[in-house]
Amino acid sequence: MAVSASSSAQQARQALAKRLVDLCRDAGLTGLDLAERCGWSRSKSSRIMNGKTPPSADDIRAWCQACGAEGQAEDLIASLRTAEGMWVNWRRMERAGLKQAQEARLPLYQRTRRFRSYSSWLVPGMIQTQPYTTAALKAIQRRRGLVDDVADAVAARMERQRVLYEGDRRFAFLVEESVLRAGIGGAEVMSGQLGHLISIASLPNVSLGVVPMRPDRERWPAEGFWIYDTAQVNVELISGYLTITQPSEVTMYAETFAELAALAVYGAPARALITSALDAPG
């Protein structure tokens, strides 16, 4: 699995670079010609053409003007924004606060009909209790030095959970057993959260699997990820938020989810693991 930048993002940047190269060739220009018309060094044009340096929106406008293709500038800028959006570090994503980051995902949740979520760190946000979410977001806010809008961010996440009960949606959640025993918010918060998991698992549109801790696992834990239908994967990493749309990579995550799901237990065995964590000394 990817741990920094996905090849989806790299492929999007390369595709944009190729379109700019094609514009240059269609206009009968060399890289040197393009650089002279834009007032750049030749090395800058070369880096953009090779996909080594992403162009800015102003670079794209200047490029299109030099090639006599001003009408294509906005479409290319949209492609740039798509490539940029595939990898967003947390500082950029949360610069306006945690509430906005929570609200930004709502349209994706509303249009998705099949959700698959795997978590090796925390209980997935969609099935967190309010106290658990509060504890988790407070920890993030303090660690990253963000503005304190935790209460508003918690309210936004709770509002987003309505999709669990609306429309014809299906949810498959997988959590590592260690998530059940991680001390987020203290014993009382964890007790309420574990009880909530048992309730959530009873919903007819929800599958909740727990991957047991075993010394002989054939598939080791991975970074947490969400699969939205078959169109998109989001991965939460230590350094940022990765969006994957490349079909081959989406398939890779879907296959990994299936492998982890095969290791998980469900129903009564899953409830037993949850209850065991619930009964463990706090």
Side-chain angles (χ1 to χ4, degrees):
M1 287 297 174
V3 294
S4 56
S6 161
S7 63
S8 289
Q10 181 59 31
Q11 288 178 12
R13 289 192 291 268
Q14 291 291 345
L16 175 59
K18 183 179 185 302
R19 291 178 68 185
L20 292 172
V21 169
D22 289 343
L23 281 184
C24 194
R25 289 175 178 169
D26 290 346
L29 301 176
T30 65
L32 179 59
D33 295 333
L34 193 285
E36 289 176 348
R37 291 193 180 193
C38 293
W40 299 336
S41 66
R42 183 174 183 178
S43 62
K44 176 175 178 176
S45 295
S46 177
R47 290 194 303 271
I48 292 175
M49 285 179 161
N50 293 323
K52 294 181 179 179
T53 298
S56 67
D58 287 341
D59 290 339
I60 290 176
R61 292 188 183 96
W63 193 293
C64 289
Q65 184 175 10
C67 296
E70 291 90 339
Q72 297 193 45
E74 293 310 310
D75 181 56
L76 290 167
I77 290 170
S79 296
L80 170 68
R81 299 293 184 237
T82 297
E84 288 177 336
M86 288 181 173
W87 171 251
V88 184
N89 64 42
W90 292 120
R91 184 173 298 277
R92 176 182 164 194
M93 185 173 183
E94 297 167 346
R95 60 191 170 193
L98 289 167
K99 178 187 176 184
Q100 181 173 312
Q102 294 296 317
E103 291 177 335
R105 302 183 203 179
L106 183 56
L108 173 62
Y109 279 58
Q110 290 175 329
R111 66 176 178 264
T112 300
R113 288 295 174 266
R114 183 188 181 195
F115 295 77
R116 284 168 284 179
S117 171
Y118 164 76
S119 182
S120 54
W121 295 350
L122 298 171
V123 172
M126 184 69 73
I127 52 176
Q128 291 177 0
T129 63
Q130 184 169 336
Y132 187 99
T133 294
T134 300
L137 293 186
K138 275 186 176 179
I140 290 171
Q141 183 266 328
R142 289 193 296 264
R143 186 168 65 248
R144 296 178 185 158
L146 305 172
V147 297
D148 187 357
D149 65 345
V150 169
D152 290 338
V154 171
R157 178 172 288 185
M158 294 299 105
E159 174 66 19
R160 200 172 67 199
Q161 289 184 0
R162 289 176 57 185
V163 301
L164 268 171
Y165 310 97
E166 297 176 345
D168 182 22
R169 295 183 174 92
R170 292 178 295 148
F171 300 85
F173 298 103
L174 291 178
V175 297
E176 293 285 343
E177 183 182 352
S178 57
V179 169
L180 307 179
R181 301 177 182 277
I184 304 298
E188 185 176 349
V189 169
M190 283 302 299
S191 177
Q193 177 61 69
L194 294 174
H196 183 61
L197 290 182
I198 293 174
S199 298
I200 286 292
S202 68
L203 294 176
N205 61 331
V206 171
S207 167
L208 175 64
V210 179
V211 185
M213 295 186 292
R214 293 173 47 185
D216 59 345
R217 281 179 56 164
E218 296 180 0
R219 183 66 174 84
W220 53 87
E223 67 272 17
F225 59 88
W226 284 79
I227 308 175
Y228 302 94
D229 292 326
T230 58
Q232 178 175 321
V233 175
N234 283 130
V235 188
E236 294 190 3
L237 303 172
I238 290 174
S239 54
Y241 192 73
L242 180 65
T243 298
I244 294 170
T245 56
Q246 185 71 17
S248 62
E249 289 190 62
V250 173
T251 297
M252 184 185 302
Y253 275 89
E255 290 172 349
T256 296
F257 188 89
E259 292 171 2
L260 290 163
L263 298 177
V265 295
Y266 304 84
R271 289 194 299 274
L273 288 177
I274 297 171
T275 301
S276 175
L278 191 59
D279 294 338

